Amino acid sequence: MEIEFNLDVILKKKKIGLREAARICALSYPTIQKIAGNKSNQLSLRTIEKLCDGLNIKLSELFREKVK
């Protein structure tokens, strides 16, 4: 099983753009852009914490099974 980030779906559901997500999560725009586009293959625990706290989501919501 392969996993990927679910950030694009979360942001769409919450009606939050990439720039706003970067601001509320205290992350850079390029970082948010890479994660939302599944172009990042590893994140620090601190980045994951910022995403979960800023978007008010559970860790398990941040990931999904990759569709082949």
Side-chain angles (χ1 to χ4, degrees):
M1 172 175 63
E2 292 184 54
I3 60 169
E4 62 185 1
F5 298 107
N6 198 37
L7 187 59
D8 57 334
V9 173
I10 292 166
L11 295 179
K12 202 174 285 185
K13 194 179 294 183
K14 291 181 175 273
K15 297 179 181 170
I16 297 173
L18 294 177
R19 292 198 189 283
E20 185 179 356
R23 184 185 57 77
I24 63 176
C25 295
L27 295 168
S28 71
Y29 176 78
T31 297
I32 290 288
Q33 193 175 34
K34 285 179 187 175
I35 298 167
N38 279 294
K39 303 290 186 212
S40 182
N41 57 7
Q42 68 180 32
L43 297 179
S44 71
L45 289 175
R46 185 68 191 128
T47 298
I48 292 170
E49 287 175 344
K50 286 181 174 187
L51 286 167
C52 291
D53 290 345
L55 297 172
N56 194 30
I57 59 172
K58 295 178 185 178
L59 176 63
S60 60
E61 294 176 82
L62 189 55
F63 304 98
R64 66 179 177 232
E65 189 173 343
K66 189 173 186 174
V67 179
K68 295 180 181 184

